[in-house]
Amino acid sequence: MRSLAPLADRILVRRGAKEVQTAGGIYLPTDKTKVPNEGEVIAVGPGMRDVSGNLHSPTLKTGDKVLLPEYGGTKVTIDDDEMFLFREDDILGKFD
């Protein structure tokens, strides 16, 4: 099993599964469903250093549920599992 440790302020996120059934019970073709904009944080980098050399730790931690932008992130496939790398400031919000 391979693993990936993000560098700097990067966050590794697994997007939620695509919804293939509507609330009314109608099944949609998987190529027509919208990319989910929610995900779970899998790994977090150590943070970013400023010009003085001070380390600024990320506010997110492993297991957090986050709101993602519709586009962006770097697609990464690890052991047939599709994940995305985002910079911390690209992530829109965190669910409580």
Side-chain angles (χ1 to χ4, degrees), residues 27-63:
Y27 285 95
L28 302 171
T30 55
D31 60 335
K32 299 292 182 195
T33 56
K34 217 171 95 175
V35 175
N37 64 344
E38 294 180 20
E40 179 183 359
V41 175
I42 303 301
V44 179
M48 197 65 151
R49 292 199 180 273
D50 61 16
V51 293
S52 304
N54 298 324
L55 182 65
H56 296 277
S57 299
T59 56
L60 297 171
K61 61 185 184 308
T62 302

Side-chain angles (χ1 to χ4, degrees), residues 59-94:
T59 56
L60 297 171
K61 61 185 184 308
T62 302
D64 284 346
K65 305 290 186 207
V66 293
L67 179 64
L68 303 170
E70 188 172 349
Y71 300 103
T74 302
K75 184 176 169 180
V76 178
T77 303
I78 301 173
D79 296 332
D80 297 327
D81 199 6
E82 188 176 281
M83 296 181 231
F84 292 84
L85 270 173
F86 289 93
R87 287 194 176 274
E88 185 178 30
D89 60 344
D90 290 339
I91 294 177
L92 304 175
K94 178 174 106 171

Side-chain angles (χ1 to χ4, degrees), residues 5-12 43-48 57-58 60:
L7 300 176
D9 67 335
R10 293 195 172 68
I11 311 289
L12 185 64
V44 179
M48 197 65 151
S57 299
L60 297 171

